[in-house]
Amino acid sequence: MASILDDYQDSISNMASSQQIRSSLGIPHTGYVNARLEKETHIFNKQRIDFTPPEKINSLVVSSNQLCMSLGKDIIFRLDLAKADEPNQVELGRKDEAKVYKLFLDHTGSHLVIALNTSECLYLNRNAQKVRPLSRWKGHLVESVGWNKFLGSETNTGPILVGTSQGHIYEAEISISEGGLFGTTPDQYFRFIYNLEEEAGPAPVCCLEIERGVDGKCFIIATTRKRLFQFVGKVPEGADQQGFGAIFSMPLNHLPGFREFPASFGYSEIAFYTPKLRSSPNAFAWMMGNGVLYGSLDYGRPDSILSDEQVWEYPSDVDISINKPISIVLTQFHFLLLFPDQVKAVCTLNGQVVFQDVFLDKFGSLTRMIKDPSYGQIWIHTEKVVFRYNVQRESRDVWKMYMNINKFDLAKEYCKDRPECLDIVLAKEAEHCFQNKRYLDSAKCYALTQNYFEEIALKFIEAKQEEALMEFLLKKLASLKPSEKTQTTLLTIWLTELYLNRLGMLEGDSSKQSLYVKTRDNFRGFLGSPRNKDCLFNNRATIHELLASHGDTENMVHFAVLMHDYERVIAHHCQHDNYSAALKVLSKIKDEALFYKFSPILIQHIPKMVVDAWIEMGKQLDARNLIPALVNYSQCGSTVQISEAIRYLEFCVYELKETHQAIHNYLLSLYAVCDPKSLLVYLENAGSNSDKIHCDLKYALRLCAEHGHHQACVHVYKVMEMYEEAVDLALQVDVDMAKSCADLPEEDEELRKKLWLKIARHVVQEEKDVKKAMACLSSCNLLKIEDVLPFFPDFVTIDHFKEAICNSLEAYNKHIEELKTEMEEATQSAKRIREDIQEMRNKYGSVESQEKCAACDFPLLNRPFYLFLCGHMFHYDCLLQEVYPNLPAYKQAKLEDLQKKLSATGQPSKSHHRPKDTDVSGQGKGQPSREQMKADIDDIVAAECVYCGELMIRSIDKPFIDPQRYESEMQSWL
């Protein structure tokens, strides 16, 4: 059998030759480049420990980074590998010839059992410096110890199993707490529970292992030289010192399950592998005479936890009689065998020897190999040298082994972080599926590789596997980057063509209708994929051409909807007279431009539905753009058709409050043709203010006149304030209407009188109704009997006017009396005013000497002052300073002018208020006197109290700080 190394070398050479050929062509096989800079180290990296023992090494054990070693006859050497510079030695203190037979260290590295060749046992705790005898164990040569990994602690082992050279299995427990307190031996109990035998009788118990499965089951594995026993059972909870007795207490006729092999070299050894994140092992390897039995552990099985068992037989170069294996350890994918002069590593996946390390003779014969279950390091020792193997990236080449045995899922799992290896696995899996005619699976794998796209596509085309080709293209398309736009476009167009071809083939076959529906749904899903949206949109014209070339109108419409090309969809429905579907699309997308474009067509066939859609759109539509559709539609002349146009225009006018003139004018035209009553109602609702009427009044007048709607014309005349025309036309219809028109010019009495005279003339001359003419006099107070009399013929008797003439005379008399009364009242009012003026001239007020100015708070009598009736007193200059800023501009100018003129006439008198004199010296001819100028100044400045008059009221809303001075004032406060 060729080794895996040979296969590896062959594959490397083949790859090198193929790469040379491809490199000569300038084309690499895949997109990956091997960038490894240096040779990779082996999985098992050996290191010699820098340690020279003072005496020969008898035994060595390692667990949880705790190393214990037996040196010579009487020394136990201990070392915490995390503190390598702090070794510890303990002497056994034996005076006899006893030697250490074996060492047993628990999984925590706390409990060390030392078996002597004199059938005695000693115990040493990690925290102790003195060994203690296990008196109950005396008389038994211990071959193996099964540690309790579930109940053990640093001070107590819990129930454990002990195997002897006589085939006996004992249950024991070691505790240092009670031993330290009473000074007794640490072993709590030591009792026999089972005896292992082979055909020849009792056999040494080579190994013991205790594991716990599901549902509280406990599994115990025990090995002899040729047999592997399994014990399964449950340990009673809460039982006092029951331990494992219940598992071994079985009927005599019920023997435990075991595996047996014929060959034996006097001993056997079993090894287990425990993953880092688990507490129980998941694989085993048993070294015995015929070879190595290895497999996995399945704790869910009821009787035996061994599964996937395989036997690796010793190769021909191993002579069991001379060169027997000594020890075995198990890693995740290998088991290592220790021979006296070398170490061999065998892969558990393919049974090939992948590593062989020969030791030099100067180191001596290899004695034992062990593995630290917690840290995974492998230790080997001779009598004078210690070696350590570090396992580095053990799974690096596992993918290749799984690939070679066609376990592709596991192969991909172990190379997921190495894309160049993953590509090889995927290519191999794709080829394997293709050869086994699993074309779809092959396509999925090929799409993930870096192999040549053209080769793969041609491969499926030659095999006539169109479905697999589509799957390959879909997966390849999904893997493209957004920047690879050209490749995306090509694949998209090709897939569209393939889908259409397949749909065309399936459509005519009624037996494949379900497949057709499925393919159609897949095609629509492809067209609607968000990933392909941009590419399909940019190439929508090409896609439409493909769909049209295949005559697939259904999918063409679907694609147009996906691309939001609703114009094409609506046009398609209209071409096939499916106007309801077209309107449904329009109503769904609510596109104003498409409404304007297709409404002229749709309203010809489904007017009511179209108008309903317009109304639902509301203000989103501009009614002006729909007028062409309405005009074309209403020209058909049918009342029903025109009523739909009126319905929409009424909605625009009354609901949307549309103000555009064209809308109102067109509505008027439709009213004039079909609905005169609504015409008059519309005009009346529009109001009488021409500025707020949105239709063209001249157009409305002409329209109403053309169709003979006189009442509407009268209303338009009234709105246009053409009252004479309104009255003239109203007299042709109804006198009462004319009367209402005549009263409209309320501010122009002359026009009103003229209009009423027209009405009276019409009544007298046309209707010849004297009573109605007299009624006109009572309806308008502007008309008198003398205004109406000229309209009557000469032969009319006065009896008809007697009452009217009397009423007119009485009205004149009454008016004369009212004028007399008003004149008398005016005379009395003028008299009272003259008396009040005279009284005000003689009014005065007294001022005390201590009075002060209300503005400056200085004594009042020091300067000229003003005294107001409200009691406030101001200096002349203080009042002027308060009043001047609040005066209007023209008064300020007048005040300044008066002050200049007053200064020019000479020095003022000492007192501002002094008796009047006739000092006119220095005054030019026609110039006001000084007293007159002072009076004018008083009228401006002292017209009212600055605190009690309107000036104070007007200043309420003025800011305290002048806005122009606000910034400077703010800065002064900072």
Side-chain angles (χ1 to χ4, degrees):
M1 180 183 296
S3 69
I4 193 169
L5 292 175
D6 296 333
D7 294 341
Y8 179 71
Q9 292 294 336
D10 294 339
S11 64
I12 289 295
S13 61
N14 294 334
M15 288 174 61
S17 60
S18 61
Q19 287 177 359
Q20 290 176 0
I21 296 173
R22 294 182 183 275
S23 61
S24 63
L25 296 174
I27 303 174
H29 179 68
T30 69
Y32 296 103
V33 178
N34 187 358
R36 188 174 298 167
L37 299 178
E38 59 183 15
K39 186 177 180 180
E40 193 171 31
T41 60
H42 203 277
I43 295 173
F44 304 102
N45 185 20
K46 183 175 69 174
Q47 177 186 3
R48 179 180 175 181
I49 304 301
D50 186 13
F51 172 70
T52 303
E55 299 186 50
K56 70 175 183 178
I57 303 173
N58 298 322
S59 182
L60 183 146
V61 288
V62 182
S63 182
S64 295
N65 232 18
Q66 301 294 320
L67 182 145
C68 297
M69 191 186 307
S70 171
L71 300 179
K73 173 184 175 184
D74 199 47
I75 298 176
I76 297 297
F77 178 85
R78 296 187 299 178
L79 180 65
D80 185 348
L81 297 175
K83 304 175 183 178
D85 56 343
E86 299 178 8
N88 176 257
Q89 292 188 10
V90 177
E91 294 185 359
L92 300 182
R94 302 287 296 191
K95 303 300 182 181
D96 53 10
E97 297 297 325
K99 296 181 180 180
V100 175
Y101 178 63
K102 283 185 178 182
L103 297 179
F104 304 97
L105 186 62
D106 78 320
H107 62 287
T108 65
S110 301
H111 307 282
L112 177 65
V113 174
I114 306 167
L116 304 178
N117 59 356
T118 57
S119 300
E120 294 179 83
C121 289
L122 304 176
Y123 171 74
L124 180 62
N125 189 271
R126 182 169 61 182
N127 299 323
Q129 295 296 324
K130 184 178 179 180
V131 297
R132 305 178 66 181
L134 300 175
S135 58
R136 293 185 176 89
W137 296 35
K138 191 174 182 179
H140 304 284
L141 184 60
V142 176
E143 293 283 349
S144 59
V145 175
W147 298 103
N148 193 330
K149 292 179 284 188
F150 311 103
L151 298 178
S153 65
E154 291 187 0
T155 59
N156 190 291
T157 62
I160 60 175
L161 296 177
V162 180
T164 69
S165 59
Q166 300 299 318
H168 299 161
I169 297 177
Y170 293 86
E171 181 180 326
E173 182 176 359
I174 301 173
S175 175
I176 64 170
S177 58
E178 293 186 2
L181 181 62
F182 297 104
T184 58
T185 58
D187 49 335
Q188 302 300 303
Y189 62 89
F190 189 80
R191 57 171 172 261
F192 173 79
I193 56 175
Y194 201 78
N195 184 41
L196 294 182
E197 294 185 356
E198 295 181 352
E199 293 179 356
V205 182
C206 298
C207 297
L208 283 171
E209 182 73 16
I210 304 171
E211 298 297 339
R212 181 176 295 177
V214 295
D215 300 329
K217 280 187 177 182
C218 187
F219 297 87
I220 298 174
I221 296 177
T223 64
T224 60
R225 293 167 296 190
K226 297 192 297 182
R227 290 185 178 182
L228 187 149
F229 295 86
Q230 295 183 72
F231 300 88
V232 183
K234 287 188 176 182
V235 178
E237 296 182 2
D240 186 18
Q241 292 187 351
Q242 290 297 319
F244 304 103
I247 300 176
F248 290 95
S249 59
M250 58 185 67
L252 295 176
N253 58 355
H254 181 74
L255 297 176
F258 64 88
R259 293 291 308 274
E260 183 176 12
F261 290 88
S264 170
F265 38 69
Y267 57 88
S268 69
E269 186 173 340
I270 191 168
F272 298 90
Y273 171 73
T274 304
K276 290 183 178 180
L277 301 180
R278 293 183 55 183
S279 59
S280 299
N282 62 355
F284 75 97
W286 179 38
M287 180 189 71
M288 38 74 182
N290 290 84
V292 177
L293 175 69
Y294 63 95
S296 58
L297 300 176
D298 185 359
Y299 297 97
R301 301 179 66 180
D303 297 325
S304 175
I305 62 174
L306 307 183
S307 64
D308 301 330
E309 300 176 33
Q310 299 182 59
V311 176
W312 180 79
E313 297 181 356
Y314 298 119
S316 57
D317 61 338
V318 177
D319 188 356
I320 297 179
S321 60
I322 302 174
N323 192 22
K324 294 185 294 185
I326 301 171
S327 296
I328 185 172
V329 297
L330 180 64
T331 62
Q332 186 176 6
F333 299 106
H334 303 84
F335 61 81
L336 281 73
L337 291 172
L338 179 69
F339 293 89
D341 59 346
Q342 62 181 320
V343 174
K344 289 186 178 183
V346 180
C347 179
T348 56
L349 300 178
N350 56 12
Q352 300 293 320
V353 177
V354 297
F355 174 73
Q356 187 171 353
D357 190 7
V358 179
F359 287 75
L360 301 177
D361 294 337
K362 66 177 182 178
F363 298 132
S365 177
L366 301 179
T367 306
R368 183 167 172 77
M369 176 174 61
I370 56 173
K371 176 188 172 185
D372 186 343
S374 301
Y375 289 85
Q377 294 176 337
I378 300 171
W379 297 79
I380 298 175
H381 73 91
T382 65
E383 291 184 349
K384 52 185 177 181
V385 182
V386 178
F387 297 94
R388 179 177 63 192
Y389 282 98
N390 292 315
V391 183
Q392 298 179 346
R393 296 179 56 235
E394 185 181 4
S395 61
R396 68 181 71 168
D397 294 327
V398 169
W399 63 271
K400 190 181 301 181
M401 301 174 190
Y402 278 128
M403 180 186 69
N404 292 334
I405 59 176
N406 296 333
K407 292 185 177 182
F408 300 108
D409 291 337
L410 290 173
K412 288 183 285 187
E413 180 68 23
Y414 284 100
C415 64
K416 58 185 178 182
D417 297 331
R418 301 171 65 184
E420 70 281 2
C421 302
L422 181 61
D423 187 71
I424 298 173
V425 174
L426 288 170
K428 182 70 179 292
E429 182 181 8
E431 185 64 28
H432 176 77
C433 294
F434 192 91
Q435 292 177 356
N436 288 276
K437 297 185 178 181
R438 292 162 46 202
Y439 297 109
L440 285 177
D441 294 336
S442 176
K444 293 176 182 178
C445 293
Y446 268 131
L448 299 175
T449 66
Q450 299 295 321
N451 288 15
Y452 296 130
F453 173 83
E454 299 84 354
E455 291 182 1
I456 301 170
L458 290 173
K459 197 170 187 177
F460 286 116
I461 293 173
E462 291 174 358
K464 297 181 179 180
Q465 296 297 321
E466 187 174 296
E467 185 178 1
L469 176 61
M470 292 171 63
E471 183 68 23
F472 169 69
L473 296 178
L474 285 170
K475 294 294 183 182
K476 205 68 179 177
L477 178 63
S479 65
L480 292 177
K481 300 177 182 178
S483 59
E484 298 174 321
K485 295 183 179 180
T486 303
Q487 294 88 330
T488 302
T489 302
L490 291 174
L491 291 181
T492 301
I493 301 300
W494 192 0
L495 279 167
T496 302
E497 179 68 24
L498 291 175
Y499 268 120
L500 291 174
N501 288 337
R502 187 166 179 80
L503 288 172
M505 294 172 58
L506 296 174
E507 187 176 12
D509 194 344
S510 58
S511 62
K512 297 181 179 180
Q513 189 64 25
S514 60
L515 183 58
Y516 169 78
V517 173
K518 181 180 178 181
T519 305
R520 183 196 63 189
D521 294 341
N522 291 338
F523 179 47
R524 291 185 175 181
F526 167 73
L527 294 177
S529 173
R531 183 180 180 85
N532 304 329
K533 183 178 180 180
D534 292 339
C535 178
L536 291 169
F537 183 79
N538 295 331
N539 299 277
R540 58 188 183 279
T542 304
I543 301 296
H544 275 300
E545 290 178 4
L546 283 175
L547 292 166
S549 65
H550 285 266
D552 194 344
T553 57
E554 182 181 0
N555 285 316
M556 184 169 63
V557 172
H558 178 78
F559 178 69
V561 173
L562 290 176
M563 296 294 104
H564 296 188
D565 190 2
Y566 298 109
E567 182 176 354
R568 190 186 298 270
V569 177
I570 297 169
H572 171 79
H573 289 314
C574 291
Q575 290 173 1
H576 292 79
D577 298 333
N578 193 356
Y579 302 106
S580 298
L583 182 61
K584 185 177 180 181
V585 175
L586 267 177
S587 302
K588 182 178 179 181
I589 63 175
K590 300 183 184 303
D591 189 304
E592 299 88 346
L594 294 181
F595 263 105
Y596 302 146
K597 181 173 183 178
F598 290 99
S599 289
I601 301 173
L602 297 176
I603 200 170
Q604 299 292 336
H605 301 87
I606 47 174
K608 185 178 184 306
M609 295 174 63
V610 172
V611 171
D612 291 339
W614 289 351
I615 292 174
E616 184 180 354
M617 288 289 290
K619 289 187 176 182
Q620 296 182 45
L621 292 178
D622 188 349
R624 293 174 294 176
N625 296 328
L626 296 174
I627 289 179
L630 292 171
V631 171
N632 293 335
Y633 172 64
S634 59
Q635 285 177 350
C636 298
S638 172
T639 304
V640 178
Q641 293 172 332
I642 296 177
S643 64
E644 291 299 328
I646 292 175
R647 182 163 71 94
Y648 177 67
L649 292 174
E650 287 179 340
F651 170 77
C652 295
V653 171
Y654 297 118
E655 298 296 332
L656 301 182
K657 308 299 181 183
E658 182 64 56
T659 60
H660 197 269
Q661 192 177 78
I663 303 299
H664 290 263
N665 289 346
Y666 187 51
L667 179 59
L668 278 175
S669 67
L670 295 180
Y671 278 151
V673 173
C674 297
D675 195 354
K677 292 183 180 180
S678 298
L679 172 63
L680 185 59
V681 172
Y682 167 80
L683 292 173
E684 291 175 349
N685 291 337
S688 58
N689 189 346
S690 59
D691 295 334
K692 296 182 179 180
I693 295 177
H694 306 298
C695 64
D696 186 349
L697 292 175
K698 295 180 181 179
Y699 173 75
L701 185 62
R702 184 172 68 252
L703 197 65
C704 296
E706 288 178 358
H707 293 84
H709 304 315
H710 297 304
Q711 290 186 358
C713 285
V714 170
H715 182 82
V716 175
Y717 278 134
K718 291 192 295 183
V719 175
M720 298 174 68
E721 298 183 354
M722 301 172 66
Y723 301 116
E724 294 187 32
E725 291 82 353
V727 171
D728 292 341
L729 186 58
L731 289 174
Q732 300 178 17
V733 180
D734 184 16
V735 175
D736 292 335
M737 184 185 297
K739 290 180 180 180
S740 64
C741 295
D743 283 331
L744 291 176
E746 297 177 354
E747 298 180 357
D748 191 348
E749 293 185 354
E750 184 179 353
L751 180 59
R752 284 178 59 199
K753 185 176 181 179
K754 182 179 180 180
L755 297 177
W756 276 103
L757 286 174
K758 283 190 175 187
I759 296 172
R761 176 181 293 176
H762 175 80
V763 171
V764 172
Q765 295 179 353
E766 299 297 332
E767 298 185 3
K768 300 181 180 351
D769 190 341
V770 178
K771 291 184 178 181
K772 187 177 289 188
M774 295 300 102
C776 289
L777 293 177
S778 61
S779 300
C780 180
N781 55 0
L782 299 177
L783 291 182
K784 306 298 179 182
I785 186 62
E786 58 268 26
D787 298 326
V788 181
L789 285 175
F791 301 146
F792 288 94
D794 296 336
F795 56 82
V796 178
T797 61
I798 197 171
D799 295 339
H800 294 89
F801 314 112
K802 182 178 181 179
E803 183 179 355
I805 293 172
C806 292
N807 292 335
S808 178
L809 293 174
E810 289 177 0
Y812 283 138
N813 291 332
K814 184 177 180 181
H815 184 62
I816 292 170
E817 293 297 327
E818 289 177 354
L819 290 176
K820 289 181 179 180
T821 304
E822 289 179 0
M823 292 174 64
E824 292 176 357
E825 290 178 355
T827 303
Q828 294 295 328
S829 177
K831 182 179 179 181
R832 286 194 298 270
I833 290 172
R834 285 192 295 270
E835 291 175 353
D836 290 341
I837 292 172
Q838 187 62 34
E839 183 180 356
M840 289 298 293
R841 286 176 178 174
N842 298 326
K843 200 166 186 178
Y844 65 94
S846 60
V847 178
E848 300 293 337
S849 60
Q850 66 272 17
E851 293 290 346
K852 296 182 179 180
C853 175
C856 65
D857 203 29
F858 281 95
L860 187 68
L861 300 178
N862 291 347
R863 301 195 301 274
F865 64 89
Y866 287 101
L867 172 63
F868 292 94
L869 295 177
C870 61
H872 288 115
M873 294 169 279
F874 300 91
H875 288 128
Y876 167 75
D877 54 344
C878 293
L879 182 63
L880 180 63
Q881 186 178 359
E882 291 287 338
V883 172
Y884 183 82
N886 297 288
L887 291 175
Y890 74 93
K891 284 191 176 184
Q892 289 180 355
K894 183 178 180 181
L895 180 60
E896 291 176 356
D897 183 59
L898 289 172
Q899 287 177 335
K900 290 179 181 179
K901 288 181 180 180
L902 185 62
S903 300
T905 58
Q907 295 297 327
S909 61
K910 293 182 179 179
S911 176
H912 185 68
H913 294 281
R914 57 190 177 88
K916 294 183 179 179
D917 55 23
T918 57
D919 182 17
V920 294
S921 61
Q923 298 295 325
K925 188 176 181 180
Q927 294 294 328
S929 64
R930 283 178 58 83
E931 294 302 325
Q932 182 62 40
M933 287 188 286
K934 290 180 180 180
D936 292 341
I937 292 174
D938 290 344
D939 290 340
I940 296 174
V941 176
E944 60 180 358
C945 177
V946 71
Y947 287 170
C948 301
E950 293 183 0
L951 181 62
M952 180 59 67
I953 297 174
R954 289 196 301 269
S955 65
I956 289 177
D957 58 346
K958 291 185 178 180
F960 291 107
I961 303 174
D962 187 356
Q964 297 179 353
R965 297 176 53 247
Y966 181 80
E967 290 296 332
S968 60
E969 189 70 22
M970 285 291 295
Q971 293 296 328
S972 67
W973 281 82
L974 297 177

